Amino acid sequence: MRRPAARTAGPSVPDARPLVSPNQSNMTPTTDILIIEDDAIMREALAEWLEGAGYGVRKAADGTCGLAAVKFAAPALVVTDIHMPGASGAVVITELKQRYPKIPVIAISCLFNSGHGMEADAAIDLGAARAMAKPFKRGELLQAVADLLGSPAG
């Protein structure tokens, strides 16, 4: 016959919750970031980088879904690809600046500064706070986000 395990001091059952990274316990609405990126691998990588730094992340696979997500709950910041099927990042930036002018936007594209498609300066002219050419490093993205939002806990 098995004996019941001895009770030890520690968290009670109501405090039981799934494991989360330490910074997530400090999450506030100011750390909610929406990633709009049609490339699933890039979208997941960006989310992993931001979540790893303690930011809350939502994801959308295209501009139309991204704009719907903003209407549902306005994020603190949007990271959007520029070249996507359907509603492009240029449309996303334009809509956000008209309807939600206080939400900063980081525009990302592999075509910035390539001579093809929209240039980084044009994204800034539309209202993006930053424009980053892919590929960029994790630290570059995290620095841009921190410059615009502050640290996740701060």
Side-chain angles (χ1 to χ4, degrees):
M1 178 171 194
R2 296 176 72 197
R3 294 179 11 174
R7 282 197 156 239
T8 58
S12 62
V13 174
D15 290 335
R17 59 182 174 254
L19 292 176
V20 295
S21 68
N23 288 336
Q24 286 181 342
S25 63
N26 297 327
M27 199 179 308
T28 67
T30 60
T31 65
D32 176 36
I33 299 172
L34 176 62
I35 299 167
I36 306 172
E37 169 64 66
D38 61 319
D39 180 274
I41 293 170
M42 184 68 172
R43 187 173 58 244
E44 292 305 317
L46 295 172
E48 188 176 296
W49 290 355
L50 293 166
E51 288 170 341
Y55 295 100
V57 174
R58 292 185 287 146
K59 300 172 274 190
D62 60 45
T64 303
C65 292
L67 289 170
V70 171
K71 288 177 187 171
F72 178 74
L77 180 135
V78 171
V79 176
T80 186
D81 188 16
I82 291 297
H83 301 283
M84 297 181 287
S88 70
V91 170
V92 168
I93 295 167
T94 301
E95 289 275 327
L96 288 176
K97 290 300 123 187
Q98 288 175 355
R99 297 179 186 202
Y100 307 91
K102 293 186 180 186
I103 298 174
V105 177
I106 297 174
I108 60 175
S109 176
C110 62
L111 297 178
F112 284 158
N113 310 321
S114 70
H116 303 285
M118 177 182 271
E119 293 297 326
D121 290 346
I124 298 294
D125 290 345
L126 283 176
R130 292 282 191 336
M132 299 177 65
K134 297 178 197 173
F136 46 81
K137 294 180 178 169
R138 177 182 179 270
E140 293 170 321
L141 176 66
L142 295 180
Q143 185 61 58
V145 171
D147 289 348
L148 295 168
L149 290 184
S151 67

